[in-house]
Amino acid sequence: MTTINRRIRILKSIIYLSIAVIFSGQVLFWFLPDYADFISTSHPIIDAHGGLEALTPMQTILGFLVMLIPKIVLMWAFVLLLRLCNSFASGDWFNSQTEAFCEQIGRWMIAYAALAVVHRSLLSIVVTMNNPPGERELTISISTNDLMALLPALLALIIGHMVGIAKRQREELNEII
Amino acid sequence: MPIIVRLDVLLAKRKVKSKELAAEIGITEANMSLLKSGKVKGVRFSTLTAICDYLDCQPGDLLEFVQDESDTGS
């Protein structure tokens, strides 16, 4: 096995593990009481309204779904990264497929960054939906972590553009005998 | 394309087969066919050197510039 194939195999293992951790973590944190504190501390809006225990079953399910949406987008970006790895493993780095995968990963990561902002607003609605009128909340916040998610997104888009240029140059080189 | 490749003429004069030249200069027969028909964007100096060396000719014997009438506007 060549060095590059071994590295791709390690990278694929990390991606599979990441997908499993993202999904299982989401389920554990929301539905196992032992992990409920984590959700409360990472989302002050839940903590401020009595923690996960204070939520009705409907609010818990809605909260889980709201939190799941950006995670699904992130997992899909990882799946695209897996496909990119498979494309690299075949030894063909500069083709239309590779270019498309890079650009798709970039777009989905931008969607993830946007959803990371939106999901906190939706969560505040879900947590306070049973409050009497006048006590319901809609919070809008942007953190440095949200902006950090844009970094890999933009990098993926730039790499996709570079792969496109490299592909066209290779095609032109192939026409030079 | 105003550059005409005269390789087929030269091959006929030297009584050399395309296949033989392709093998000698290290390109595929498909690329040799493309080169002969002029359907390429360029020729590397290394390829040109190898062809000239094997066929004992000058680059000018292989390539000819023909003025494109549509380009001159006449």
Side-chain angles (χ1 to χ4, degrees):
Chain A
M1 189 185 287
T2 60
T3 310
I4 192 76
N5 280 346
R6 194 166 52 245
R7 284 179 183 166
I8 287 172
R9 210 167 153 170
I10 293 168
L11 184 61
K12 281 170 76 174
S13 307
I14 293 170
I15 293 169
Y16 280 125
L17 187 68
S18 302
I19 292 172
V21 166
I22 291 168
F23 186 76
S24 59
Q26 184 71 9
V27 174
L28 285 176
F29 292 146
W30 276 89
F31 296 108
L32 293 184
D34 292 346
Y35 297 93
D37 283 349
F38 181 82
I39 290 285
S40 297
T41 44
S42 61
H43 291 83
I45 185 78
I46 298 176
D47 199 30
H49 289 82
L52 275 183
E53 306 81 33
L55 299 180
T56 63
M58 174 60 87
Q59 282 177 309
T60 306
I61 290 169
L62 283 176
F64 170 74
L65 291 176
V66 162
M67 296 275 286
L68 190 64
I69 294 167
K71 301 291 186 294
I72 287 174
V73 169
L74 187 61
M75 284 191 284
W76 181 244
F78 272 118
V79 169
L80 289 171
L81 194 59
L82 261 180
R83 291 184 182 177
L84 189 64
C85 287
N86 289 335
S87 185
F88 286 164
S90 66
D92 197 5
W93 293 67
F94 304 117
N95 56 32
S96 305
Q97 207 180 29
T98 311
E99 182 187 4
F101 282 148
C102 286
E103 286 179 353
Q104 281 175 28
I105 290 168
R107 283 195 213 105
W108 282 99
M109 284 303 292
I110 286 175
Y112 171 72
L115 282 168
V117 174
V118 172
H119 95 278
R120 277 197 298 273
S121 301
L122 290 174
L123 196 61
S124 69
I125 294 172
V126 169
V127 170
T128 59
M129 64 191 274
N130 290 337
N131 290 3
E135 291 181 25
R136 291 171 191 160
E137 290 179 26
L138 170 64
T139 59
I140 299 169
S141 64
I142 296 177
S143 69
T144 315
N145 285 345
D146 300 329
L147 297 175
M148 284 292 283
L150 283 177
L151 192 68
L154 296 176
L155 273 175
L157 285 176
I158 290 168
I159 291 169
H161 185 66
M162 285 161 66
V163 168
I165 291 172
K167 185 197 73 161
R168 283 188 288 279
Q169 283 192 344
R170 194 181 70 170
E171 282 169 0
E172 199 169 305
L173 270 176
N174 285 344
E175 289 181 48
I176 296 174
I177 307 296
Chain B
M1 176 77 83
I3 298 289
I4 309 291
V5 181
R6 299 285 184 206
L7 184 58
D8 48 352
V9 177
L10 214 58
L11 284 171
K13 278 184 185 170
R14 300 284 193 273
K15 293 185 172 60
V16 174
K17 288 179 181 171
S18 301
K19 194 177 172 179
E20 182 188 334
L21 180 63
E24 189 62 36
I25 65 173
I27 65 171
T28 63
E29 286 179 55
N31 277 344
M32 176 58 77
S33 176
L34 287 171
L35 185 57
K36 275 168 62 185
S37 60
K39 291 175 184 169
V40 290
K41 279 198 174 172
V43 184
R44 289 191 182 88
F45 279 137
S46 57
T47 309
L48 204 53
T49 304
I51 294 172
C52 289
D53 187 35
Y54 191 73
L55 297 179
D56 190 25
C57 64
Q58 292 298 313
D61 300 329
L62 288 166
L63 306 171
E64 184 184 346
F65 174 71
V66 178
Q67 190 75 48
D68 194 345
E69 285 181 14
S70 59
D71 284 349
T72 58
S74 57

